[in-house]
Amino acid sequence: MLTNNQNVIKWVDEMVALCKPDQIVWIDGSEEQLNALREEAISTGEMEKLNEEKLPGCLLHRTLPNDVARVEARTFICSRKEEDAGPTNNWCDPKEMYAKLTPMYDGVMKGRTMYVIPYSMGPIGSPLAKVGVELTDSIYVVLNMDIMTRMGKQAFENLGETSNDFVRGLHSKANIDPENRYIVHFPEDNTIWSINSAYGGNVLLGKKCFALRIASYQGKNEGWMAEHMLILGIENPQGEVTYISAAFPSACGKTNLAMLIPPEVYQKQGYKVWTVGDDIAWLKPGKDGRLYAINPENGFFGVAPGTNAKSNFNALESTKKNTIFTNVAHNLDDNTVWWEGLDKNPPEHAVDWTGKPWNGKTSEEKGAHPNSRFTAPAINCPCISPEFNNPEGVPISAMIFGGRRAKTAPLVYQSFDWKHGVFVGSTMASETTAAATGAVGVVRRDPMAMLPFCGYHMGDYFAHWLEMGEKLGDKAPKIFNVNWFRTDDEGHFIWPGFGDNMRVLMWIVARCKGEADAVETPIGYEPKPEDINIEGLDIDLDTVKGLLNVDVDLWKEEAKGIREFYAKFGNKLPKELMDQLDALEARLAK
Ligand code: GTP
Ligand code: SPV
Ligand code: MN
């Protein structure tokens, strides 16, 4: 045992009595203990050791083909009152859910070891950090949590001997039975139960389950925000850094934007980009009244396909050591990894993500699953911010929303004010991706990129955003919307994206500093086309004009869609947002 905290000990005892593991191992976070676990996972075949010269400390893991993504249909928010989960979450009465799952956990760890993982979300000692304990029967989970969180006995030291303020996570892979898979949150009990999965967001309980679903509920009650946002800093040649956070739905470009390499025109002037986080931000007003953000995570659980030296050099560099690869192709020639979009030279002698022999030169099948991932330590990232471990976080000047929209949403626009910005975030829509099971490419509303991650009623969540704006007043970040994914008639992306997204961020920074003009449109403020720097790109001013075009007819349709979506929330929809919708329709009718 690593702690004398009776709240922890009592709960672990109860869960041990339920799950009946053969052994209990308390994870202290020491390299010695982790190495023994790595060796064990390698010896049982659960993980494979990769080329020690080319990928030192790296491991490969494959999950079952039925277990490759988050499962939104099997994810529940079990608040006592159904109304508190709201219309966008699956709900079940907590008593009923405990009664249903308890027999499934009964004896589930017989013949297995239970690992007790203490971890901190947020820098150790940060006033914004919070402690969780995850119980799991998976070494893969332990090794991933080691990368993704500050794991080990320090977390217990932070919790102290008497506090009861920790999130209780219980995970068992059980039989990885998709029919009995449950990812369940009990916000009022600070508890998460996950069973029958061994993949990513379903089982690394510090990530989406705690740092977004439980934390969003805590933030509402405690006056802060947990958001599905990257955090980056742009340093100008004078050494001043402006911090921006951005919410895009899963697999819509957060990791890429967070680590972007500035185009040459900015590099030669001395601009730099620093990564604070790539997926989750916890935000709270600071002493000076501005909004400060920390990244509660300690690593990146990033999408592998499409990651290459050109699209995301810094992410690729981050995966060169001490990284776990999940569901990518295994290159047998040199015991390395490969995925679609890594390079144009797929291996001939390889094993695909399902474990079958695979020839990348001739096969029609994909070598890596579209949602294959790398788990890489943040410290590996060449552009990790010097503020990454700052317990106070970084002050946010701008918040950006965005998604995948082939049409309708322009390259960038700014909201008229905070309230309008909350409206813009609440009405975000995006095409679905492989990050969750189900159809890909279908446009759905995904408010603030939080649809799958908000741990309470989304109408109350919108109200919380509005309240935060009241509290922040004129120190509130400016709110923007971006879309890198507009397509032409042949379906090709028009905007070059990736590092060139910096060109749009530069207008955003200039707006925050009051150094750039804007044009008023019915949906918000837009840049003058010539204010987007296209030096060095092979697109012209007319293309930028096209990207910024607001098609009033499409937007009238959009407003109708928003009205339908808003109807779901009934009287929980803040009146301010309905007023915003009416105002948008009035501007479009002019
Ligand atoms: P999660 O980890 O699921 O939350 O995803 P994410 O939001 O971090 O997305 P990520 O940066 O991993 O990008 C997902 C996919 O979008 C990858 O295949 C990228 O190559 C692609 N992508 C990212 N940025 C851009 C862009 O600016 N333009 C285009 N066309 N594609 C992009
Ligand atoms: C996402 O889907 O937004 C992810 C991956 O970041 S997972 O951890 O699986 O949720
Ligand atoms: Mn994510």
Side-chain angles (χ1 to χ4, degrees):
M1 261 180 289
L2 293 170
T3 177
N4 290 320
N5 185 308
Q6 291 305 314
N7 302 308
V8 174
I9 292 170
K10 185 165 162 276
W11 168 69
V12 173
D13 282 349
E14 280 167 23
M15 296 303 110
V16 167
L18 175 61
C19 300
K20 306 181 177 63
D22 283 11
Q23 275 197 82
I24 304 154
V25 172
W26 292 70
I27 299 295
D28 58 20
S30 68
E31 259 319 288
E32 205 186 343
Q33 189 185 42
L34 289 167
N35 266 333
L37 290 173
R38 291 184 190 111
E39 290 308 323
E40 185 180 337
I42 292 164
S43 73
T44 60
E46 182 178 351
M47 304 185 85
E48 288 172 74
K49 191 172 168 60
L50 294 164
N51 187 316
E52 193 51 44
E53 263 102 67
K54 293 187 177 169
L55 295 169
C58 293
L59 297 168
L60 171 67
H61 176 75
R62 283 187 284 270
T63 62
L64 289 182
N66 74 35
D67 189 28
V68 293
R70 286 184 292 100
V71 280
E72 294 180 3
R74 311 201 68 94
T75 299
F76 288 80
I77 301 296
C78 298
S79 42
R80 267 168 231 141
K81 285 196 257 155
E82 179 169 9
E83 194 194 19
D84 291 340
T88 58
N89 284 310
N90 299 313
W91 176 84
C92 175
D93 180 86
K95 278 201 204 91
E96 223 174 277
M97 188 55 102
Y98 281 125
K100 177 178 191 155
L101 296 186
T102 298
M104 290 169 59
Y105 282 103
D106 189 0
V108 76
M109 295 189 191
K110 275 186 193 155
R112 297 183 186 178
T113 301
M114 176 192 274
Y115 302 96
V116 182
I117 310 174
Y119 62 94
S120 168
M121 297 310 287
I124 294 276
S126 164
L128 284 117
K130 286 193 176 272
V131 171
V133 182
E134 176 165 357
L135 310 179
T136 179
D137 51 9
S138 160
I139 295 182
Y140 172 77
V141 168
V142 178
L143 296 178
N144 273 274
M145 289 293 281
D146 171 49
I147 299 171
M148 295 306 296
T149 73
R150 280 98 171 159
M151 180 184 90
K153 60 174 187 281
Q154 264 184 306
F156 277 143
E157 282 158 24
N158 242 38
L159 180 66
E161 301 220 332
T162 53
S163 172
N164 197 23
D165 183 14
F166 67 97
V167 170
R168 296 144 162 80
L170 175 64
H171 165 248
S172 174
K173 53 193 175 185
N175 304 315
I176 316 187
D177 170 7
E179 302 303 317
N180 284 301
R181 185 167 295 155
Y182 287 93
I183 318 299
V184 180
H185 307 72
F186 304 95
E188 288 126 345
D189 299 344
N190 254 350
T191 295
I192 305 157
W193 280 15
S194 162
I195 192 159
N196 277 307
S197 173
Y199 182 83
N202 298 332
V203 301
L204 309 178
L205 300 186
K207 196 174 175 57
K208 295 305 173 27
C209 299
F210 176 176
L212 287 178
R213 297 195 189 98
I214 299 286
S216 60
Y217 170 79
Q218 294 175 329
K220 159 89 180 161
N221 294 328
E222 297 166 11
W224 53 283
M225 306 163 93
E227 298 297 332
H228 193 197
M229 286 181 168
L230 68 94
I231 309 163
L232 65 78
I234 298 183
E235 182 175 334
N236 71 12
Q238 292 74 48
E240 259 177 84
V241 188
T242 304
Y243 293 95
I244 295 175
S245 67
F248 309 152
S250 302
C252 290
K254 288 182 299 301
T255 301
N256 275 270
L257 191 70
M259 298 179 192
L260 76 81
I261 296 200
E264 212 190 311
V265 344
Y266 297 119
Q267 268 184 45
K268 68 183 184 211
Q269 295 172 50
Y271 282 93
K272 289 184 190 134
V273 167
W274 300 106
T275 307
V276 181
D278 83 322
D279 198 50
I280 300 177
W282 285 359
L283 307 111
K284 194 178 183 177
K287 291 185 197 86
D288 62 0
R290 293 185 67 191
L291 190 62
Y292 281 72
I294 62 162
N295 171 11
E297 302 190 282
N298 202 25
F300 311 120
F301 187 61
V303 177
T307 306
N308 60 55
K310 192 164 170 284
S311 67
N312 197 345
F313 172 84
N314 289 315
L316 194 63
E317 279 302 298
S318 306
T319 67
K320 294 281 166 72
K321 58 181 183 197
N322 305 330
T323 292
I324 297 171
F325 296 93
T326 302
N327 295 338
V328 300
H330 189 187
N331 181 348
L332 298 178
D333 283 331
D334 64 352
N335 191 24
T336 57
V337 289
W338 194 85
W339 52 75
E340 279 63 29
L342 174 64
D343 55 40
K344 296 210 165 72
N345 187 27
E348 281 172 68
H349 306 108
V351 172
D352 71 8
W353 69 273
T354 68
K356 288 199 294 285
W358 182 74
N359 181 338
K361 297 274 194 295
T362 57
S363 177
E364 305 271 295
E365 309 279 312
K366 286 190 156 68
H369 187 274
N371 193 37
S372 56
R373 299 252 168 184
F374 52 80
T375 319
I379 47 164
N380 283 2
C381 181
C383 58
I384 195 72
S385 167
E387 303 300 318
F388 175 70
N389 280 312
N390 185 337
E392 305 298 325
V394 295
I396 299 296
S397 297
M399 291 174 136
I400 305 178
F401 297 117
R404 286 179 186 262
R405 294 301 296 273
K407 303 275 176 272
T408 320
L411 180 62
V412 59
Y413 63 100
Q414 181 183 0
S415 69
F416 295 118
D417 53 27
W418 180 274
K419 269 186 198 159
H420 179 233
V422 175
F423 171 76
V424 169
S426 74
T427 58
M428 255 172 76
S430 191
E431 293 151 21
T432 51
T433 66
T437 54
V440 167
V442 183
V443 175
R444 71 169 183 185
R445 301 263 157 221
D446 186 349
M448 284 84 172
M450 283 288 278
L451 181 71
F453 307 119
C454 183
Y456 61 104
H457 196 299
M458 205 125 206
D460 291 335
Y461 169 79
F462 297 154
H464 182 48
W465 265 84
L466 292 167
E467 277 159 31
M468 291 300 293
E470 294 285 318
K471 206 185 284 181
L472 292 160
D474 61 2
K475 299 206 166 121
K478 305 268 183 286
I479 299 181
F480 298 81
N481 193 89
V482 299
N483 178 22
W484 317 137
F485 298 95
R486 263 212 199 179
T487 54
D488 61 19
D489 294 338
E490 276 104 58
H492 300 119
F493 295 123
I494 305 170
W495 176 248
F498 302 98
D500 290 312
N501 293 333
M502 170 109 176
R503 299 166 190 272
V504 172
L505 298 185
M506 290 298 284
W507 181 73
I508 289 175
V509 170
R511 286 294 291 170
C512 291
K513 297 187 162 183
E515 291 168 359
D517 278 346
V519 184
E520 190 169 336
T521 79
I523 64 169
Y525 297 122
E526 281 200 340
K528 294 180 176 165
E530 59 275 21
D531 285 347
I532 298 293
N533 186 336
I534 51 172
E535 188 188 322
L537 286 184
D538 55 8
I539 62 171
D540 57 19
L541 197 61
D542 279 336
T543 308
V544 177
K545 276 185 194 154
L547 284 164
L548 291 170
N549 178 47
V550 176
D551 182 324
V552 171
D553 289 331
L554 280 182
W555 273 93
K556 284 181 178 164
E557 281 305 305
E558 186 74 3
K560 273 191 208 153
I562 293 170
R563 203 168 280 283
E564 269 169 42
F565 180 64
Y566 270 1
K568 276 192 182 192
F569 300 100
N571 61 9
K572 282 269 196 181
L573 185 87
K575 181 178 174 301
E576 288 96 323
L577 295 187
M578 200 52 101
D579 293 346
Q580 288 288 338
L581 176 56
D582 293 340
L584 171 68
E585 283 193 326
R587 290 192 300 270
L588 289 166
K590 262 196 218 149

